Amino acid sequence: MKYWTETIAIAQRILIELGRRRRSLIFWAAFPIAVLILNGLIFAERSKTALPEPLTLGQALERAAPATLVGAALFFSCLGGSVATVVTEREHHTLKRLFLSPLSGISYFLGIGLAHSAIALAQTVLVGGVAIGLGAHFQGSPLLIAMIILLSILAYVGVGFILGTQLARRTEDVNTLVAAFGVPLLILGGAFVPAFIFPKILLDLAQYNPIYHMNEALTKTVAEGSSLSDIALHFWFLVGFAVLMVAAGWLSYQRMLRVERKL
């Protein structure tokens, strides 16, 4: 109960601080909606020449929504948000105060993850709601969809802790780091450009990109109603990657705490 109470308190504090930055919340909502509509229009237009029967806007959004969610919404809220939070907390010497309080390190780690997971959940509802409002009809098992989204969140938060604790030192580093590290992976993962138009060499490279597996697993489940056996390769890749990133993120966080204690 102690860890649970502390985790909730940390998450609430972070969400309250983010809530005061209303412009940031507006941008976090507007960005995935804009990407969703653009991707939907690209899918719909491309289908006129690539498919025997063109897709309607609603059908195009069924395929655009998963790419938008994992590539635009979850990436920037969970990965970029985790990096920004860790760096800001270090600059504000919040970690120094942590050492003087009874708050445990694991609660702080979980609280940051929970806060950004809550933001990701809100973005999931937003993207899905807009797509449904424009005519999309989602299929697939809700449990499987939720598991894919959860694995994506865990993977992004884990990577965010690694980058935030080991590479970013100042707030100015965050945008550069996320852009340099993430944007090429997002493009290669099919977040901004549909993966089916990739040349073979890029498709081969995409097999090593976790964002590609997030995108493919969610798209096949949501748009095609695929089962776990149909997306087994993508799903188990995500399971292994998420576990590895959370473990690596925790170790990176512990290393940062040891360094901060010496300063």
Side-chain angles (χ1 to χ4, degrees):
M1 287 299 297
K2 173 182 181 295
Y3 291 125
W4 175 249
T5 303
E6 291 177 347
T7 298
I8 294 295
I10 291 295
Q12 285 179 335
R13 181 180 66 81
I14 293 172
L15 290 174
I16 289 172
E17 290 182 358
L18 291 174
R20 292 171 180 165
R21 308 170 193 168
R22 296 185 179 179
R23 290 183 181 178
S24 297
L25 294 179
I26 292 173
F27 292 147
W28 273 7
F31 176 62
I33 292 175
V35 174
L36 171 67
I37 295 173
L38 289 173
N39 271 345
L41 293 174
I42 291 172
F43 270 111
E45 184 64 27
R46 181 66 179 176
S47 68
K48 293 179 181 178
T49 56
L51 299 176
E53 190 172 326
L55 300 175
T56 64
L57 179 59
Q59 292 171 327
L61 289 174
E62 292 170 9
R63 295 185 170 275
T68 301
L69 183 61
V70 301
L74 301 187
F75 179 89
F76 288 100
S77 63
C78 295
L79 191 152
S82 297
V83 174
T85 298
V86 171
V87 173
T88 301
E89 299 280 69
R90 293 178 73 179
E91 285 192 329
H92 292 173
H93 303 293
T94 303
L95 294 174
K96 299 293 186 182
R97 294 193 292 272
L98 171 65
F99 302 142
L100 301 176
S101 72
L103 180 67
S104 65
I106 188 170
S107 298
Y108 190 75
F109 178 84
L110 294 175
I112 294 176
L114 181 60
H116 290 286
S117 297
I119 296 171
L121 177 61
Q123 289 183 313
T124 300
V125 173
L126 178 64
V127 170
V130 171
I132 291 173
L134 293 176
H137 299 282
F138 297 131
Q139 308 175 55
S141 166
L143 178 60
L144 181 57
I145 293 171
M147 291 174 65
I148 295 170
I149 293 174
L150 177 61
L151 289 172
S152 301
I153 291 172
L154 292 175
Y156 280 145
V157 170
V159 174
F161 267 95
I162 296 172
L163 297 180
T165 58
Q166 303 304 311
L167 298 179
R169 292 292 180 267
R170 299 172 301 173
T171 305
E172 293 80 4
D173 298 335
V174 175
N175 291 336
T176 303
L177 182 62
V178 171
F181 175 81
V183 172
L185 291 179
L186 289 175
I187 295 174
L188 189 60
F192 297 146
V193 180
F196 66 79
I197 68 173
F198 286 178
K200 185 177 183 305
I201 186 171
L202 290 184
L203 282 175
D204 292 339
L205 287 174
Q207 304 302 316
Y208 303 97
N209 182 357
I211 298 177
Y212 172 78
H213 291 282
M214 296 176 193
N215 188 11
E216 288 296 304
L218 196 57
T219 299
K220 290 181 181 297
T221 304
V222 168
E224 301 174 13
S226 299
S227 63
L228 178 58
S229 59
D230 298 323
I231 61 165
L233 174 64
H234 303 300
F235 182 83
W236 293 114
F237 182 98
L238 285 181
V239 170
F241 184 77
V243 170
L244 180 62
M245 289 302 100
V246 170
W250 171 250
L251 293 175
S252 299
Y253 171 72
Q254 290 294 316
R255 181 177 181 275
M256 180 191 70
L257 291 183
R258 291 194 295 270
V259 172
E260 290 291 321
R261 284 193 180 99
K262 295 177 182 178
L263 297 178

